[in-house]
Amino acid sequence: HFDNSLCDAGSVMSVLQIHGTRDETILYEGVPTLPMQYPGAEETVERWASRADCDETPSTQNRIDMVSNLPGDDTDVLRYENCAPGRGVELWRIVDGTHIPSIQADFGDRVLDWFDAHPRP
């Protein structure tokens, strides 16, 4: 069971989670039962958004093309708005993406740009 009170309040930071919906290693929906119990990608990011005092529901930004072997714009950007100053929380959901997708050449630049825009306070 997740207990937010056990987390250090000073450790709140910006979070970018990138997760494929067809990840067979770390399931996108999580595993609800023991012994391998863990939350899904969306629940995990919701927890970070709550800790960063963001809005409860993410906005869906434009889709982006992150994976070379999936057609078109394959990734939903779910952004939590109105977070505490200096904090940002996003989930980049790769629709039909696997655990290790074939990323586009500009993937590293996109991730670095995100972190540049969300420096640790």
Side-chain angles (χ1 to χ4, degrees):
H1 174 67
F2 177 73
D3 184 353
N4 196 36
S5 69
L6 298 176
C7 298
D8 176 11
S11 67
V12 176
M13 63 190 78
S14 294
V15 173
L16 171 60
Q17 179 161 332
I18 303 168
H19 207 124
T21 60
R22 290 200 179 183
D23 187 334
E24 294 180 358
T25 303
I26 305 296
L27 301 179
Y28 183 84
E29 296 297 329
V31 176
T33 58
L34 294 173
M36 292 295 296
Q37 185 176 24
Y38 59 88
E42 292 180 24
E43 181 181 344
T44 299
V45 174
E46 286 172 10
R47 290 177 182 179
W48 281 110
S50 175
R51 295 195 68 220
D53 295 324
C54 305
D55 290 345
E56 289 184 22
T57 305
S59 64
T60 303
Q61 306 297 309
N62 293 335
R63 290 183 104 183
I64 55 178
D65 185 11
M66 284 198 6
V67 181
S68 60
N69 64 345
L70 292 175
D73 293 342
D74 47 58
T75 301
D76 296 321
V77 176
L78 304 174
R79 179 178 300 148
Y80 285 85
E81 305 284 351
N82 301 311
C83 301
R87 297 197 172 96
V89 177
E90 288 185 17
L91 170 61
W92 293 1
R93 176 177 56 204
I94 306 171
V95 178
D96 294 329
T98 59
H99 187 68
I100 303 175
S102 298
I103 56 175
Q104 296 284 15
D106 67 345
F107 173 79
D109 291 335
R110 287 179 190 237
V111 171
L112 290 175
D113 287 346
W114 192 90
F115 282 104
D116 283 344
H118 302 88
R120 188 170 179 140

